[in-house]
Amino acid sequence: MASGGLADRTAATPAGAVWTKTCLTLKRELGDATFGSWLGHAALRERSDHEVCLVAATGVARDWIRRHAWRRIGELWAQNDPEGRALDLKSRMEFEAAGAPEPVIAEVTLTAAPVLTIHHGAAPAAAAEPATAPSAGSRAPRPGAGLQERFTFDTFVPGPANEFAFAVARRVGCWADGHFNPVLFHGPYGFGKTHLLNALGWEAQKNCPDKKVVYLTAERFTQTFVKAVQDRQTAAFKDELRDADLLLIDDVHFVAGKTSTQEELFHTLIALVQDGRRVVMTADRPPHELSDLEPRLRSHLQAGLVCGIEPADRDLRQGILERKLDMLARQGGFPATVRPEVLQFLADRFSDSVRELEGALNTLVARVGAELTHLSLDEAQSILRPHLSAPERKVTVDHIQKAVAEHYGLTQADLLSERRARAVARPRQAAMWIAKQITTRSLPDIGRRFGGRDHTTVLHAVRRIEALKADDPVLARDLDLLLRKLRG
């Protein structure tokens, strides 16, 4: 992948060979699907004898690499390259536009985030920074580590499932007076809890830069506390936390069963609340279901304001996709347009987690870039097939027919029959539509499994349901319920 200048230096290890070794390890660690989506289309380019650049296929792929793999790439590159060459990271568009190496505007040091990250007046970056690989002696955390820059209120899409939690987060982020302290957001994985907590932190910093905001995951809290005990620095640890004007703890359920850590968290919570400081936490369940949590801590969480976040409905998922697509398009410099059936497939297929929903769109953009505008539904399904969860790949047309028939009070034989009464025809069309969404069967194959019908009948059914569900909330609700049931 490196050009001839490096390869011709017989005394040096070719950069391409270094990158090949690095990729072998990355592929094992990330898995084939993840590696192929984000790094499979990256290329190594030479800039000089002492500098090479990893060129990602798109700006989105570059950003993913920077966030999730760049530190590890730097480590592996340093291990495998005896020449000590510097490795830079750019998108293909950036590299081709540069012509010559660009000056480093802001260095990103990709080492681990500090154990305790205190935010005092920082603001989210407006644009992605150029990345450089970490040097062996560089260990300073990058500015703004901890709170994630992409998680702000501007990038959060409110809807019926999260509107109460969203309103509460906005109010706390504005330092509004209130009697609810602590606040707990709860909901299953991927429902937006971490997004709200980060957005709240950024907003609080922006509104009152002189106040001290501390953000920690519960895991980081535990690690820091254990280290403080080992180093006999518990007093400093307590002072650091209890001096916070706003303490944010993500995934508090992680401390369940850890007696000493729960004890410390309980006393920290009490000290802050009694002093009029704010505390906001997230958990995967409401407090009364956190049975392994220390009773006093659980009781104080219940005494505050408990905000549940429900699964995103179809409209909200569609809104999230549109907002995400607009952001990716602006970053990548391509039109924010995609075929409606592709967007609808994503909204219907990835209904259990916003993270999975956004990840599916990220994958499509990383693989096809500006060609997303012309991507067909079949092509999108083909690209995303390795990312579909195993339970969903096991759903068969037979399972779909049985679930639909039960839901509408019919028999499976009714769906396969020639009956054209609306009470049978509409559920049959719904079953065909679902089969197209969550199986890999072709239209002719689906038709054969519905009493030997041809592919044009299935295509008509799919288009008919697409047209109807946009204006028929009852049908849309039925489809959403059936999809969730079939996915377990």
Side-chain angles (χ1 to χ4, degrees), residues 239-428:
D239 290 343
E240 195 67 54
L241 286 181
R242 296 177 191 184
D243 191 40
D245 294 290
L246 173 62
L247 176 63
L248 308 173
I249 302 289
D250 203 5
D251 292 332
V252 71
H253 53 271
F254 179 84
V255 304
K258 301 176 175 64
T259 304
S260 58
T261 302
Q262 290 186 79
E263 184 80 13
E264 181 56 36
L265 182 58
F266 169 74
H267 289 298
T268 297
L269 172 63
I270 295 301
L272 289 171
V273 171
Q274 288 180 346
D275 201 28
R277 315 294 180 97
R278 304 295 182 86
V279 180
V280 184
M281 302 184 183
T282 70
D284 62 352
R285 287 157 286 163
H288 69 272
E289 293 183 13
L290 298 171
S291 56
D292 292 336
L293 213 59
E294 203 270 341
R296 291 179 303 168
L297 178 57
R298 186 170 67 245
S299 175
H300 275 78
L301 291 177
Q302 288 176 301
L305 179 60
V306 179
C307 304
I309 302 177
E310 301 297 326
D313 61 21
R314 191 175 187 276
D315 288 341
L316 180 54
R317 295 196 299 271
Q318 192 97 6
I320 290 169
L321 284 171
E322 290 170 356
R323 177 76 64 88
K324 181 74 173 178
L325 177 60
D326 183 66
M327 182 190 73
L328 295 177
R330 280 187 278 109
Q331 291 177 347
F334 58 85
T337 56
V338 63
R339 292 183 178 180
E341 62 268 24
V342 173
L343 211 60
Q344 290 162 0
F345 162 71
L346 294 177
D348 290 325
R349 180 62 176 79
F350 297 90
S351 61
D352 295 328
S353 166
V354 172
R355 287 197 183 101
E356 292 180 3
L357 181 68
E358 292 184 333
L361 182 60
N362 286 339
T363 299
L364 293 182
V365 173
R367 288 289 294 273
V368 302
E371 294 303 311
L372 184 68
T373 302
H374 309 293
L375 190 70
S376 70
L377 177 58
D378 286 340
E379 290 169 335
Q381 291 175 328
S382 178
I383 290 172
L384 293 172
R385 190 168 295 124
H387 302 271
L388 303 181
S389 59
E392 296 194 23
R393 283 201 295 268
K394 294 178 182 177
V395 176
T396 65
V397 174
D398 184 65
H399 292 148
I400 294 169
Q401 291 170 347
K402 289 177 180 176
V404 171
E406 180 183 2
H407 181 80
Y408 286 103
L410 302 171
T411 66
Q412 189 174 2
D414 289 330
L415 298 182
L416 304 183
S417 72
E418 296 297 326
R419 293 175 59 191
R420 296 187 178 184
R422 182 172 178 175
V424 175
R426 189 56 46 79
R428 181 188 297 128

Side-chain angles (χ1 to χ4, degrees), residues 188-201:
Y189 171 84
F191 279 28
K193 305 184 301 297
T194 296
H195 193 147
L196 270 184
L197 199 64
N198 278 263
L200 190 161

Side-chain angles (χ1 to χ4, degrees), residues 222-235:
T222 301
Q223 293 171 348
T224 310
F225 175 66
V226 170
K227 191 173 189 305
V229 172
Q230 293 172 344
D231 297 343
R232 299 183 180 181
Q233 297 290 324
T234 53

Side-chain angles (χ1 to χ4, degrees), residues 10 61 67 79 87 90 151 167 174 179 191 198 200 204 209 271 291 362 384 397 417 420 446-447 484 487:
T10 55
R67 291 192 189 99
Q79 291 172 13
L87 180 64
K90 286 188 178 295
F151 288 152
C174 292
H179 303 290
F191 279 28
N198 278 263
L200 190 161
S291 56
N362 286 339
L384 293 172
V397 174
S417 72
R420 296 187 178 184
I446 294 173
R484 291 183 183 281
R487 291 166 177 157

